[in-house]
Structure formats: structure tokens, C-alpha cells
């Protein structure tokens, strides 16, 4: 967001910019739930407080002033969208680990006398 909006801090503004929402008009057009869904689909992990903050920004009120009934509506709207088209699961942090130990041949050098690896004192 290039223009300062109520409830939208630097981290939230960065997330919004990264999903293509750069102006208050773009936020108004997509709505709080739509913006929240875009942020979640981009892989960020915001709490529901972002959803409430976005709605508060649109209503020009502090997010904690949103009535409980409106918060419930926002969450229900979000859950309906996600139920219709679920979020993709994040890929695993790394691929599977395989143990590919080669069998030792008789003609290979004996490495039993090699000392074990010890980390350098400078890097620990």
C-alpha cells in the first residue's frame, strides 16, 4: 500500500504489495476477505487479525472495534472461499533422504585411521 491506511502496518502493507494490492482503491475493489485470501494463497501465514485489520481499514475504524457479528461473517466468508477452492499445501522443506552407501571393495584403501570430522572453532 502506498497510501497509509488505518490498521495496516509495514508487514501487512508489504504482504499486500507482494500480492498486487498497492492502493486503497484496489483494496476496496477486492474487499477484506478477497485481500486476505490473496495473502494466504501467496504462502504467507497471517492470523485472522489481518482479516479484521483489513475490514477495519475499509470501515475506517480500529480493528478491535469491529462487532463480533461482523468478525464472524468475515471468517465464514473466508472459510466458504477456502472450502470451494482449498489452499495448496506447502511443499516439503526438502526432498526425501536416501541412504546410498556403496559397498566397499576389497581393493579400496582402508580409511579407518582417518579422524572424524570436527567443526572448526571459528565457525561454531
Amino acid at each position: 500500500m502506498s497510501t497509509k491506511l488505518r490498521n495496516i502496518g509495514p508487514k501487512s502493507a508489504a504482504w499486500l504489495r507482494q500480492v498486487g494490492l498497492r492502493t486503497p482503491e484496489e483494496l476496496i475493489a477486492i474487499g477484506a476477505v478477497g485481500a486476505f485470501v490473496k495473502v494466504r494463497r501467496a504462502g504467507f501465514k497471517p492470523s485472522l487479525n489481518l482479516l479484521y485489520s483489513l475490514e477495519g481499514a475499509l470501515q475506517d475504524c480500529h480493528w478491535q472495534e469491529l462487532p463480533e457479528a461482523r468478525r464472524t461473517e468475515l471468517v465464514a466468508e473466508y472459510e466458504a472461499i477456502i472450502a470451494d477452492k482449498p489452499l495448496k499445501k506447502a511443499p516439503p522443506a526438502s526432498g526425501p533422504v536416501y541412504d546410498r552407501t556403496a559397498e566397499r571393495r576389497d581393493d579400496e584403501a582402508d580409511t579407518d585411521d582417518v579422524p572424524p570430522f570436527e567443526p572448526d572453532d571459528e565457525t561454531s
Side-chain angles (χ1 to χ4, degrees):
M1 289 278 139
S2 59
T3 304
K4 189 82 169 147
L5 282 176
R6 190 174 193 168
N7 305 318
I8 307 298
K11 187 173 188 176
S12 300
W15 285 343
L16 293 171
R17 281 192 307 273
Q18 290 179 22
V19 299
L21 299 172
R22 292 181 169 76
T23 66
E25 293 77 24
E26 290 172 336
L27 179 59
I28 291 167
I30 196 169
V33 175
F36 185 73
V37 169
K38 283 185 77 112
V39 169
R40 290 293 314 267
R41 289 198 191 285
F44 300 109
K45 305 282 187 209
S47 70
L48 288 175
N49 287 347
L50 177 63
L51 178 58
Y52 307 145
S53 295
L54 293 169
E55 181 66 12
L58 295 174
Q59 301 298 326
D60 194 28
C61 70
H62 191 278
W63 67 271
Q64 291 177 330
E65 296 172 3
L66 287 176
E68 190 61 38
R70 180 62 184 141
R71 290 181 190 206
T72 303
E73 290 172 3
L74 291 167
V75 171
E77 201 177 319
Y78 165 72
E79 289 176 346
I81 291 170
I82 296 305
D84 187 43
K85 188 176 177 192
L87 296 171
K88 292 181 181 175
K89 282 194 164 194
S94 67
V97 176
Y98 299 102
D99 182 13
R100 297 188 182 205
T101 306
E103 289 191 29
R104 188 169 154 187
R105 297 188 324 235
D106 289 336
D107 61 340
E108 289 181 324
D110 189 10
T111 58
D112 291 339
D113 58 343
V114 176
F117 172 76
E118 293 184 23
D120 190 21
D121 287 337
E122 294 179 22
T123 59
S124 53

